[in-house]
Amino acid sequence: MSAGATARVFAPLARMRTLSREKADTLLLLASCTLVLVPHLLRLPAWIVPACTLLLAARAWLTFSGRRMPSRWLLVTLAVLAMAGVYGSYRTLFGRDAGVAMLTLLLTFKLLEMHAKRDLFVALFLSLFLILAGFFYSQSIGSALLTVAAVVLILTTLVSFQYTGAVPPFRKRLRLGATILGLAAPLTLVLFLLFPRVQGPLWGLPADAHSGRTGMSDTMSPGNISRLAQSDEIAFRVRFEQKPPAQRQLYWRGIVLGAFDGRTWREMPASSRDPELSVRPNGKPLRYQVTLEPHNRHWLFLLETPAALPSVSSRVTHDLQLLSLAPVRERLRYDAASYTDARVQDDVDPRQLRRWLQLPGGANPRALAFAAELRGRHPQPEMQVANVLRYFRAEKFQYTLEPPPLGRHVIDEFLFDTRAGFCEHYSGSFVFLMRALGVPARVVTGYQGGEINPADGFMTVRQSDAHAWAEVWLEQSGWVRVDPTAAVAPDRVQRNLSSVIPRQAFGGLITLDPDRNPFAAQWLRLRHQWEAIGNGWNQWVLNYTPERQLDLVRALGFSNVDWRTLLALMMVLGSAAVAAVVLPLLLRQKKRDPLEIIYVRFCALMARRGIPRAPYEGPRAYAARLAAADSPLPPEKRAALARFLEVYEAMRYGAAATSGSPVPHLSQLKSLLAECR
């Protein structure tokens, strides 16, 4: 590259170094607001992103060019149109999403309407409020780190606007902003640990605050689990007290579906004729702890078969579903125990299970004819189950995340035409055939498998582990799990989904298969470490519940802990934290020269009278300018001004300054200052 081309490339940077103080501070403000806005842009309607980008670019152009701000009427018109756009996108101006969209637009509009320092504070306070709104969507450690960076930059901006003389370099101002935030850390830690906690938020959240959660659905139709399985989000984490069971035993039971309309499976409503739930375990229960991510539903996921209710407010249904009494809208941790070998309802009358034989009329005639043929060969239910599984193995069925679409008779078309599907296709068609054969059957959805994170020892279960299987009722055995997917893709159950369908990243550009891609092993190792850090954040920060707070206070030696104890302890430790920060600052503070204090007061007095001292002026030059100034002051006041500066100059630079005893002159200087007033 030639010297001329290099100069043209770096010319903008050179111009930025020579910007005026006001322009440089304004650009720093724009950078702070941009950092605040970036995390929200991906959650907003598509039109808001270019709108905010255009407004920010316009503000930067006005700053560089030195042009005037747009008229207030133009801004009001644009703001009204923007609010209309928000209403058109959300059909409301209230709620989480609409509120965040309006805050985003208001912040960008406010940057075009800055005429005084008060407007600066409004823009910065809007930025802080928008940072808090980001926690409606994510409270991960990544979000927390981005919040810290944004707050530091906002404090740096605020500090930059406060300088009246020479401005320190940006690096020094940035360090000062970080120091201010660091000084608040001890008191923040005390408040976090000891401020009395209550269950749930202190105020009502918007109605849409919990929307957009990824997770299982209460229905199952072709394609919905395969779409969920393409998500790599974490569903829950598990910590076992002993060695985890084998991969093929990791069936995390969730929703039981029994009502079928020909295409979609739904939950079977409870009936007074349902048999009582009975469980006969074999062996000791397996104990573990689950940290469940919020999914805005009532389901709790446990290994088959639960030994007791988990350690949260919950209930069990007639079909062995575990349900929380309240929707899971926050990260939930509970202790659980399960039997890996148990008989469920093995002693009920088969007539009580007729509801699990219902099929829609006029649907899937070929499947019904196939079931009738199988019943003629083997009337025993156990043999019928084996024959259907043998059919799946023998025919050329394909396990895929992208099955072809199905028409009206979904079971017929899958079994005899496409023969390609995901777990919902196999479990749904298997249950249909079992019912057609006269065997009570139902679909169970949840998760299968899990991956031990070597960084922290927790088992991670992802949305990609979503799975559907079947349960059939056999005499003397009760409800027995049957997974028809294992007949087609046994590695899916014995290992995991990625062993059958490799994971991909960056939109499918990279295959995360360590056997095929050497980069994948490094990528997975880094992901394990990052997820372990995130899990620690979840366990110790986000899951700091009232119970854990009470345990902490009891560990400090307090008993019978109530809110009064917490407040008293918080006041004591909070005061100690403030003292630990403030006292060193006071001790390190330089004592101000009393002579300088009087001189600063004099200069402030003259500035209020319209004759401020220039930064480069000494006492003698300032006295000469005051004497020559056209001022309505009477002669005695002018004489007092001249005498004040003469005495100050003698004390600061004359013999009095070197004698070490300027005290006698201070009283005279104070008297002259009083005369000047």
Side-chain angles (χ1 to χ4, degrees):
M1 181 181 293
S2 64
T6 304
R8 286 192 297 272
V9 170
F10 290 99
L13 296 177
R15 286 197 298 269
M16 289 185 65
R17 291 183 179 180
T18 60
L19 286 176
S20 66
R21 162 77 185 283
E22 181 182 356
K23 291 182 178 181
D25 288 346
T26 303
L27 291 178
L28 182 58
L29 173 63
L30 291 178
S32 303
C33 295
T34 301
L35 183 60
V36 172
L37 292 172
V38 164
H40 293 281
L41 295 181
L42 296 178
R43 312 182 186 109
L44 298 173
W47 65 270
I48 293 184
V49 178
C52 290
T53 304
L54 185 61
L55 291 173
L56 290 172
R59 185 64 177 90
W61 178 76
L62 290 174
T63 301
F64 275 112
S65 62
R67 296 177 181 271
R68 296 180 58 184
M69 294 288 185
S71 67
R72 181 163 297 180
W73 288 111
L74 176 60
L75 290 177
V76 169
T77 303
L78 293 176
V80 171
L81 292 175
M83 296 305 105
V86 171
Y87 184 83
S89 299
Y90 297 103
R91 298 300 174 187
T92 182
L93 293 178
F94 303 98
R96 179 194 64 176
D97 295 337
V100 170
M102 286 193 294
L103 271 178
T104 302
L105 291 167
L106 287 175
L107 176 58
T108 52
F109 279 121
K110 187 61 185 176
L111 294 173
L112 289 168
E113 196 227 0
M114 295 184 60
H115 303 285
K117 186 170 286 189
R118 177 183 61 85
D119 297 319
L120 163 72
F121 294 133
V122 171
L124 292 179
F125 289 148
L126 274 175
S127 299
L128 293 173
F129 198 83
L130 203 55
I131 288 175
L132 291 177
F135 289 114
F136 280 139
Y137 300 93
S138 173
Q139 299 177 14
S140 66
I141 189 171
S143 301
L145 293 175
L146 186 60
T147 296
V148 170
V151 171
V152 168
L153 195 56
I154 288 173
L155 291 174
T156 303
T157 305
L158 190 59
V159 167
S160 299
F161 275 92
Q162 303 307 311
Y163 286 102
T164 56
V167 181
F170 174 73
R171 183 179 300 178
K172 187 174 182 179
R173 285 177 283 155
L174 188 64
R175 190 184 307 120
L176 179 58
T179 302
I180 294 173
L181 185 62
L183 293 176
L187 181 59
T188 303
L189 180 62
V190 171
L191 293 175
F192 172 78
L193 293 175
L194 297 176
F195 190 87
R197 291 176 173 264
V198 295
Q199 292 287 0
L202 293 175
W203 52 81
L205 293 176
D208 60 349
H210 305 287
S211 63
R213 302 287 191 185
T214 303
M216 300 295 298
S217 171
D218 56 357
T219 63
M220 187 188 79
S221 57
N224 61 352
I225 295 184
S226 59
R227 286 190 294 271
L228 179 62
Q230 298 180 53
S231 169
D232 220 23
E233 292 186 21
I234 294 176
F236 53 90
R237 293 181 172 93
V238 187
R239 185 182 64 186
F240 289 94
E241 293 185 4
Q242 56 259 49
K243 183 180 179 181
Q247 187 80 8
R248 63 179 181 276
Q249 295 178 302
L250 294 174
Y251 281 85
W252 304 94
R253 187 184 186 87
I255 308 100
V256 178
L257 309 175
F260 185 53
D261 61 5
R263 184 174 187 85
T264 302
W265 292 88
R266 293 181 172 84
E267 293 183 80
M268 182 82 77
S271 172
S272 58
R273 291 178 290 182
D274 288 329
E276 291 186 4
L277 180 62
S278 61
V279 177
R280 290 203 293 174
N282 183 18
K284 295 181 179 180
L286 180 69
R287 302 192 180 277
Y288 52 95
Q289 186 181 77
V290 178
T291 303
L292 179 63
E293 296 295 316
H295 53 70
N296 202 26
R297 301 297 183 97
H298 291 266
W299 309 307
L300 302 177
F301 296 95
L302 284 83
L303 279 177
E304 295 184 322
T305 305
L309 291 176
S311 59
V312 291
S313 299
S314 57
R315 64 183 179 89
V316 62
T317 65
H318 67 284
D319 48 9
L320 205 55
Q321 293 187 69
L322 273 296
L323 302 177
S324 172
L325 298 184
V328 182
R329 291 174 173 170
E330 296 178 351
R331 191 172 284 101
L332 183 64
R333 185 169 61 180
Y334 51 89
D335 297 317
S338 298
Y339 295 107
T340 57
D341 185 12
R343 294 185 178 185
V344 179
Q345 292 182 330
D346 60 339
D347 54 353
V348 302
D349 188 343
R351 291 174 295 182
Q352 295 179 287
L353 303 174
R354 290 176 180 172
R355 294 205 309 151
W356 302 104
L357 294 170
Q358 296 175 1
L359 290 174
N364 305 295
R366 287 188 287 171
L368 293 175
F370 179 62
E373 179 184 348
L374 290 177
R375 181 185 293 181
R377 295 186 209 163
H378 301 284
Q380 297 84 3
E382 292 82 0
M383 292 301 300
Q384 293 168 352
V385 170
N387 282 336
V388 173
L389 294 178
R390 189 178 301 113
Y391 174 76
F392 281 130
R393 293 191 193 98
E395 300 297 330
K396 295 181 179 179
F397 281 90
Q398 183 183 359
Y399 184 66
T400 176
L401 278 171
E402 299 178 354
L406 301 174
R408 176 186 173 189
H409 301 289
V410 294
I411 305 296
D412 281 355
E413 293 179 24
F414 168 68
L415 288 176
F416 306 109
D417 298 332
T418 65
R419 293 183 176 178
F422 203 59
C423 58
E424 65 266 32
H425 298 77
Y426 292 98
S427 58
S429 60
F430 180 85
V431 170
F432 185 93
L433 289 175
M434 287 296 103
R435 291 186 176 188
L437 288 166
V439 179
R442 59 196 185 191
V443 175
V444 182
T445 60
Y447 299 88
Q448 199 285 320
E451 178 186 22
I452 294 292
N453 188 333
D456 59 5
F458 278 74
M459 175 174 287
T460 303
V461 180
R462 305 180 185 276
Q463 299 296 348
S464 57
D465 296 315
H467 195 54
W469 59 94
E471 285 183 341
V472 297
W473 189 87
L474 304 175
E475 287 193 37
Q476 299 181 353
S477 297
W479 288 102
V480 178
R481 174 185 7 104
V482 180
D483 192 349
T485 304
V488 179
D491 283 348
R492 166 64 185 88
V493 175
Q494 296 175 7
R495 297 174 65 187
N496 50 36
L497 178 64
S498 61
S499 64
V500 182
I501 305 174
R503 292 175 181 169
Q504 295 179 334
F506 304 109
L509 296 177
I510 298 177
T511 300
L512 297 181
D513 185 357
D515 297 331
R516 303 180 188 177
N517 185 3
F519 169 76
Q522 192 70 18
W523 169 265
L524 293 175
R525 189 179 301 110
L526 291 175
R527 187 176 72 169
H528 286 153
Q529 294 173 352
W530 175 250
E531 289 181 349
I533 294 173
N535 184 38
W537 171 264
N538 295 339
Q539 299 290 333
W540 296 104
V541 178
L542 300 184
N543 203 38
Y544 186 65
T545 60
E547 292 77 15
R548 299 187 71 179
Q549 185 182 55
L550 294 178
D551 292 340
L552 173 65
V553 177
R554 292 191 187 103
L556 296 176
F558 295 88
S559 58
N560 299 324
V561 180
D562 57 8
W563 66 270
R564 298 179 184 85
T565 307
L566 289 173
L567 283 178
L569 194 59
M570 182 183 69
M571 294 296 292
V572 172
L573 294 181
S575 300
V578 172
V581 171
V582 173
L583 288 178
L585 295 177
L586 293 177
L587 293 175
R588 282 167 32 189
Q589 186 178 18
K590 295 181 180 179
K591 292 185 178 180
R592 294 187 63 185
D593 184 4
L595 183 61
E596 185 66 22
I597 292 175
I598 297 176
Y599 186 58
V600 168
R601 291 175 183 173
F602 174 82
C603 294
L605 176 64
M606 292 298 100
R608 288 197 297 271
R609 290 184 176 178
I611 317 175
R613 183 180 70 89
Y616 55 84
E617 280 185 314
R620 186 172 300 178
Y622 193 26
R625 190 160 64 87
L626 288 175
D630 185 12
S631 173
L633 292 176
E636 60 271 15
K637 293 290 184 181
R638 288 176 174 270
L641 296 177
R643 181 60 181 160
F644 177 92
L645 290 171
E646 180 183 351
V647 172
Y648 172 76
E649 182 181 6
M651 294 175 63
R652 173 62 67 194
Y653 307 109
T658 59
S659 64
S661 57
V663 178
H665 294 283
L666 281 178
S667 58
Q668 182 183 2
L669 205 61
K670 290 179 180 178
S671 300
L672 290 171
L673 180 61
E675 292 182 26
C676 295
R677 291 199 181 100

